[in-house]
Amino acid sequence: MSAKTRVAILISGRGSNMAALIEAAKAPDYPAEIALMFSNVETAGGLDIARAAGIATTFLSHKAFASREDFDAAIDAALRDAKIDLVCEAGFMRIHSEGFVRKWEGRMLNIHPSLLPSFKGVKVHEQAIAAGVRISGCTVHFMVPELDSGPIIAQAAVPVLPGDTPEALAARVLEEEHKLYPEALKLVAEGKVVLRDGRAVFV
Ligand code: GRF
């Protein structure tokens, strides 16, 4: 049996996408194992979920570092120590230095709760409702230095309903996120999707 892809998940909060990835990785035939959970927030709910699941956790506050580069160097060291192959960001609320992203390019994924390239950044569901779109959704993409701009691996759509609040839309999108992220990670871990010439290519 070939070794599974070793995955680190980076979070800052609730960790529901992380929990979905942990759950999916329990399947014997899933090609990835969650080898590390990293949080930059000590009170992140996801830390308790990961500990309860028996996942190795690392907490490091960005506030303890003089620069973005120094913080990223510490993350990189933690990833190397754990022999990580792939990184999944799931609600990690820090922007990385360009050098760090370049180093992990093609091996670092993120999930964003909109149909990119629409509605980047924060207050995503507010943006979607304000724009009056009838469909929103979520995107898993390879990370590049520019925020929420990397090559798209997978997307799922949901309707935006009349009278939707940002919270109602967020909940509908989140349900899809929990299905999409495990599917996208599977594709990358199996080598079925790779980053090539700035595109996510199915091979
Ligand atoms: C998700 O909506 C994700 O798309 C965004 O941040 C949120 C994290 O939620 N990047 P959770 O911590 O996974 O529950």
Side-chain angles (χ1 to χ4, degrees):
M1 200 184 80
S2 62
K4 292 192 178 202
T5 300
R6 291 175 65 78
V7 172
I9 306 176
L10 271 54
I11 69 158
S12 300
R14 179 177 58 184
S16 71
N17 277 288
M18 179 205 71
L21 292 174
I22 291 173
E23 200 49 43
K26 285 182 185 165
D29 61 346
Y30 197 76
E33 62 178 300
I34 311 306
L36 178 69
M37 202 288 287
F38 180 99
S39 174
N40 69 320
V41 176
E42 195 167 15
T43 53
L47 272 170
D48 291 334
I49 299 173
R51 287 189 191 116
I55 309 278
T57 61
T58 298
F59 155 69
L60 275 183
S61 174
H62 53 282
K63 294 180 188 158
F65 295 85
S67 69
R68 214 175 272 290
E69 285 74 15
D70 288 354
F71 180 51
D72 282 345
I75 298 175
D76 190 59
L79 298 176
R80 262 186 291 120
D81 284 350
K83 299 191 167 31
I84 295 304
D85 303 306
L86 272 181
V87 178
C88 287
E89 304 223 336
F92 187 67
M93 300 305 283
R94 298 296 301 169
I95 293 173
H96 292 294
S97 55
E98 179 165 359
F100 177 82
V101 179
R102 290 276 179 233
K103 186 164 181 188
W104 284 90
E105 208 164 331
R107 297 180 294 149
M108 186 153 66
L109 318 185
N110 182 46
I111 187 156
H112 183 76
S114 76
L115 291 175
L116 290 172
S118 293
F119 314 133
K120 298 176 181 181
V122 294
K123 297 206 179 291
V124 170
H125 305 296
E126 283 87 341
Q127 291 185 55
I129 290 168
V133 293
R134 297 288 179 228
I135 294 172
S136 191
C138 49
T139 303
V140 177
H141 62 93
F142 285 115
M143 289 185 73
V144 297
E146 198 186 333
L147 197 67
D148 301 329
S149 298
I152 292 168
I153 298 165
Q155 294 185 302
V158 303
V160 181
L161 301 177
D164 255 353
T165 59
E167 293 73 27
L169 179 56
R172 197 174 306 121
V173 171
L174 194 64
E175 246 182 74
E176 294 305 314
E177 293 186 48
H178 295 162
K179 292 182 251 171
L180 189 73
Y181 213 171
E183 287 166 15
L185 172 59
K186 183 169 190 279
L187 287 171
V188 177
E190 285 173 339
K192 290 194 173 147
V193 176
V194 296
L195 179 63
R196 190 183 290 161
D197 300 329
R199 318 259 326 165
V201 179
F202 283 73
V203 289

